[in-house]
Amino acid sequence: MAKTVSKANQSQGMLMFTLTHSKQLFAIGTLKVREIVPYQPTTQIPYSHHHVIGTVTIRNNTIPVINMPAAIGLRPIQPEEYSSCYLIVTDCLRTVVAFMVRSIEKIIECNWKSIESSPQATGKNVFVTGITRFEDQIVQMLDVELLLSKIYPQYESNTIPMLTDIERERLKALKILLVDDSSIARKQLSDALDSINIGYQICNNGVEALTLMREQATKDHPIQLLVSDIEMPGLDGYELAFEVQNDHGLSKAYIILHTSLSSEICTDRALQVGAHEALEKFNAGDLIKAMLRGAELLESKDKGQATELLV
């Protein structure tokens, strides 16, 4: 099938910055960024995480400031260097935080399909989710979700709703695919389903997911419930949903997109490309309830088709 560009593809740039004196480039997607401000003096918080240097007040909001290089395992920015640094205020995982970086390089348009996934050999807890190039320099895309989960561990635990036997069996009967380029998000998704003994397959990105779905469909074992991140290198969640809905062999799948971004725009665009639901990461209860709604809809469609055959 010819490649179709998603009509609802969000315009997202890449914010590049440095964390070390070596000028190695790091980046995050601009949809996570609220604003960029010069460093402001912070107020220390007793018993806070050792990478949180304090809080600042911006637009009447009290925002924690994270020493970003320290948080990902590099040499921390020292107090005497703070005044020359910048704060990137982000909205991610339903939390507003400011990351302190050494310098802001530039914001550029980005071909997200050209971003390569981080090599698996680098390990599970590496904070880099993708790698690309800009003017012959390597740019490392940071996994903000994983970073925040290390500082605020509560992101790793969410209450799983109690399921009836009927609900559990309804989910167990489905072929479920989970897709996310963030290692912490994949762990959250898999932990949520493992805790209620629901089987699933998992992919690291949209390209892998689309390939797997097509392979499963040719074997007459199509994926019935797709849970995918929106922001991914190669093929984002919007495009994945669009491709699935425009492929006759895949289009019966119930699609749930989820994102760490806090935006109604994300939800609107998700529905435009054919997703059935869009959720903010990460609430295990919300996810399981959405999956149950999908299972119920799929079951009702199967019953409707069976009735038509009898008639």
Side-chain angles (χ1 to χ4, degrees):
M1 184 180 71
K3 172 65 180 171
T4 305
V5 177
S6 166
K7 293 182 292 186
N9 190 29
Q10 273 189 298
S11 175
Q12 173 169 216
M14 177 189 294
L15 170 62
M16 298 191 298
F17 50 87
T18 65
L19 301 176
T20 68
H21 292 299
S22 67
K23 296 296 182 179
Q24 167 64 51
L25 292 177
F26 295 88
I28 60 176
T30 53
L31 288 176
K32 287 186 172 75
V33 179
R34 277 195 171 187
E35 60 183 314
I36 303 166
V37 298
Y39 171 78
Q40 300 177 18
T42 61
T43 301
Q44 290 190 334
I45 309 172
Y47 302 107
S48 62
H49 191 281
H50 55 284
H51 295 325
V52 177
I53 66 170
T55 64
V56 294
T57 300
I58 299 176
R59 305 187 192 285
N60 296 319
N61 293 319
T62 300
I63 302 171
V65 177
I66 297 170
N67 191 324
M68 193 176 218
I72 66 170
L74 300 177
R75 177 183 178 273
I77 299 173
Q78 301 301 307
E80 60 271 19
E81 301 173 304
Y82 289 176
S83 61
S84 62
C85 294
Y86 289 85
L87 303 180
I88 302 174
V89 181
T90 65
D91 189 346
C92 182
L93 293 175
R94 308 183 185 192
T95 303
V96 177
V97 301
F99 292 107
M100 183 169 63
V101 302
R102 290 192 181 276
S103 69
I104 300 294
E105 293 303 302
K106 59 179 63 179
I107 295 176
I108 62 169
E109 293 183 359
C110 178
N111 178 6
W112 291 87
K113 298 177 186 60
S114 69
I115 299 176
E116 302 173 10
S117 298
S118 179
Q120 292 186 357
T122 55
K124 293 183 178 179
N125 291 316
V126 174
F127 293 98
V128 176
T129 188
I131 298 172
T132 188
R133 291 182 177 273
F134 175 73
E135 296 181 349
D136 297 324
Q137 283 186 277
I138 292 176
V139 182
Q140 299 183 56
M141 297 294 297
L142 291 181
D143 187 341
V144 177
E145 288 94 337
L146 178 59
L147 193 160
L148 287 175
S149 75
K150 299 300 181 183
I151 295 176
Y152 303 110
Q154 66 266 28
Y155 290 130
E156 295 193 37
S157 59
N158 287 274
T159 301
I160 307 295
M162 294 293 292
L163 300 184
T164 65
D165 290 341
I166 294 174
E167 289 173 331
R168 183 175 289 102
E169 292 306 311
R170 182 175 284 163
L171 287 180
K172 287 179 70 174
L174 297 179
K175 297 189 182 305
I176 299 170
L177 178 61
L178 312 176
V179 190
D180 206 300
D181 65 316
S182 166
S183 60
I184 187 63
R186 289 195 300 273
K187 184 177 185 301
Q188 289 171 328
L189 289 167
S190 58
D191 284 352
L193 295 193
D194 287 343
S195 68
I196 53 176
N197 298 315
I198 301 300
Y200 57 87
Q201 298 181 74
I202 195 162
C203 288
N204 294 353
N205 56 64
V207 175
E208 286 183 11
L210 188 59
T211 299
L212 185 147
M213 291 185 74
R214 286 173 173 164
E215 290 175 351
Q216 294 292 304
T218 59
K219 297 175 182 178
D220 202 26
H221 296 297
I223 296 298
Q224 297 162 291
L225 204 158
L226 171 65
V227 180
S228 175
D229 182 27
I230 289 179
E231 288 187 294
M232 295 184 293
L235 191 72
D236 66 27
Y238 295 133
E239 293 172 315
L240 176 59
F242 191 76
E243 292 284 3
V244 169
Q245 286 293 345
N246 282 273
D247 188 320
H248 179 71
L250 312 179
S251 60
K252 293 181 181 178
Y254 190 88
I255 303 172
I256 302 170
L257 295 185
H258 63 124
T259 177
S260 58
L261 305 173
S262 299
S263 171
E264 292 182 4
I265 296 175
C266 295
T267 300
D268 292 340
R269 292 183 182 275
L271 299 178
Q272 287 173 28
V273 295
H276 297 84
E277 301 197 42
L279 305 174
E280 286 185 28
K281 296 182 186 175
F282 180 78
N283 184 294
D286 290 346
L287 175 62
I288 300 301
K289 289 174 184 176
M291 294 175 73
L292 285 169
R293 287 191 290 271
E296 185 175 356
L297 179 63
L298 292 169
E299 190 175 284
S300 66
K301 286 184 176 179
D302 287 342
K303 289 179 180 178
Q305 290 175 354
T307 302
E308 289 178 5
L309 290 174
L310 290 173
V311 173

